[in-house]
Amino acid sequence: MRPETVAEFGTWRIVVPAVRVVESHLVLVRSVGRVDSLNEREAADLIDAYRAATSVLHRIFGSSGFMISFSVLWQPDSEGIGEPDPVPGAGCAIHVFGRRPGELISPVRAMALPRRVRLPARADADLVERVRDELARPPQPLTIEAPEGNLCDGCTGSVLTDQERWRSRDVRVIRPRRVLIDPHVLVLPIRHVVSLRDLEPSEVVSLSARLIESLAQFRLGSGSTGLSGFANDGIHARQETPHVHLHVYGRSASEAVNPYQRLAAYLSPNR
């Protein structure tokens, strides 16, 4: 079947992809074709769409943590290692994967395989209708459990003194302590916020603008032509720092190494 739109939230829509990486997989698609930073309205719509999608994945599949995967001006190659199948015609898409204890395979592990040898979960009409039914129900609160600990790596002084590269409008771009590939940064709000669900529209606007700036820097430094990245939301998504942060990689057809191949090699079996 084709990707199926199941709900619209202003400038964003929720799509059931034709090929799901894992069972609990939905996609948020920007309704306009532009690939640029978001405005306040688009950011508010995206937050509403993300909250709705995660609530549905929680109710249908028992997901208690979430991973997002995204790209900017980048389409995965035919192997697709580290990335989901693109949604045809979607200039801007954010893939949302539900995570839960005891899952048979994680989205990271599934996407670490070349696309041709994955065992995807095919969508069907029954799933589409079930998602639609759940979206029509009144929203229910969802608490995403955060990593424990009194210290937050996203708020320590060393983030500013040792890692920060630049900041603007309440969002900073930092160099990670463990760089996976050379064009690799973390983009995070300065405010202490634990879950993606709790971001403010102004922060989402600024996050999206910092992504565009990161691409410009990567183009100058390493010839990157696009970006791809991910974020984990909650301890059941293996979030380790209790502060929202996006892992962002510069990508190009001539890259020496696929960052997700390297990431998969570092991860423990249950990741």
Side-chain angles (χ1 to χ4, degrees):
M1 63 176 288
R2 297 168 60 86
E4 189 77 27
T5 296
V6 289
E8 294 188 10
F9 290 80
T11 53
W12 289 81
R13 51 195 175 94
I14 299 178
V15 173
V16 177
V19 179
R20 292 174 292 151
V21 171
V22 291
E23 280 191 329
S24 49
H25 178 187
L26 295 172
V27 190
L28 312 181
V29 176
R30 193 180 184 186
S31 297
V32 296
R34 303 190 321 272
V35 181
D36 57 4
S37 56
L38 306 180
N39 59 38
E40 287 273 348
R41 178 191 172 193
E42 291 170 327
D45 292 341
L46 175 56
I47 292 169
D48 288 343
Y50 179 71
R51 289 172 177 168
T54 51
S55 294
V56 165
L57 293 176
H58 172 67
R59 291 201 294 261
I60 293 179
F61 299 105
S63 304
S64 48
F66 304 91
M67 172 189 172
I68 66 168
S69 173
F70 58 91
S71 61
V72 178
L73 295 175
W74 172 253
Q75 290 289 337
D77 61 19
S78 58
E79 293 288 89
I81 293 173
E83 297 163 285
D85 287 10
V87 176
C92 181
I94 300 172
H95 295 258
V96 183
F97 305 103
R99 304 294 311 272
R100 64 183 186 272
E103 61 192 1
L104 296 178
I105 185 168
S106 72
V108 173
R109 284 295 177 195
M111 291 189 294
L113 300 171
R115 186 183 295 129
R116 68 181 184 279
V117 298
R118 294 177 194 167
L119 297 176
R122 302 283 177 179
D124 56 36
D126 288 343
L127 174 65
V128 169
E129 288 309 309
R130 189 175 179 191
V131 172
R132 281 202 176 102
D133 289 345
E134 290 293 342
L135 284 166
R137 293 173 54 189
Q140 296 178 347
L142 171 61
T143 300
I144 297 177
E145 193 173 348
E148 296 180 354
N150 297 323
L151 296 177
C152 171
D153 286 345
C155 297
T156 60
S158 63
V159 167
L160 173 61
T161 58
D162 299 336
Q163 295 177 267
E164 185 174 294
R165 293 300 179 260
W166 73 91
R167 67 164 72 184
S168 182
R169 293 189 60 191
D170 302 324
V171 168
R172 57 167 46 113
V173 180
I174 70 172
R175 183 77 162 171
R177 293 190 182 94
R178 291 176 292 178
V179 176
L180 198 63
I181 60 173
D182 183 52
H184 177 191
V185 294
L186 303 181
V187 183
L188 63 158
I190 295 173
R191 179 175 70 98
H192 179 70
V193 54
V194 176
S195 172
L196 294 166
R197 288 173 56 95
D198 297 327
L199 288 168
E200 298 289 343
S202 60
E203 291 169 326
V204 174
V205 169
S206 189
L207 285 166
S208 68
R210 305 295 77 78
L211 292 179
I212 301 300
E213 292 172 355
S214 297
L215 176 55
Q217 293 294 320
F218 289 161
R219 278 176 174 152
L220 292 172
S222 58
S224 299
T225 57
L227 299 176
S228 63
F230 71 93
N232 294 324
D233 196 0
I235 60 171
H236 295 141
R238 309 302 191 266
Q239 182 182 3
E240 296 176 350
T241 297
H243 193 121
V244 167
H245 58 285
L246 312 180
H247 287 265
V248 180
Y249 306 108
R251 308 300 302 275
S252 74
S254 60
E255 62 191 11
V257 61
N258 182 319
Y260 296 103
Q261 282 182 303
R262 184 164 289 177
L263 178 65
Y266 291 161
L267 294 179
S268 59
N270 65 342
R271 296 294 291 269

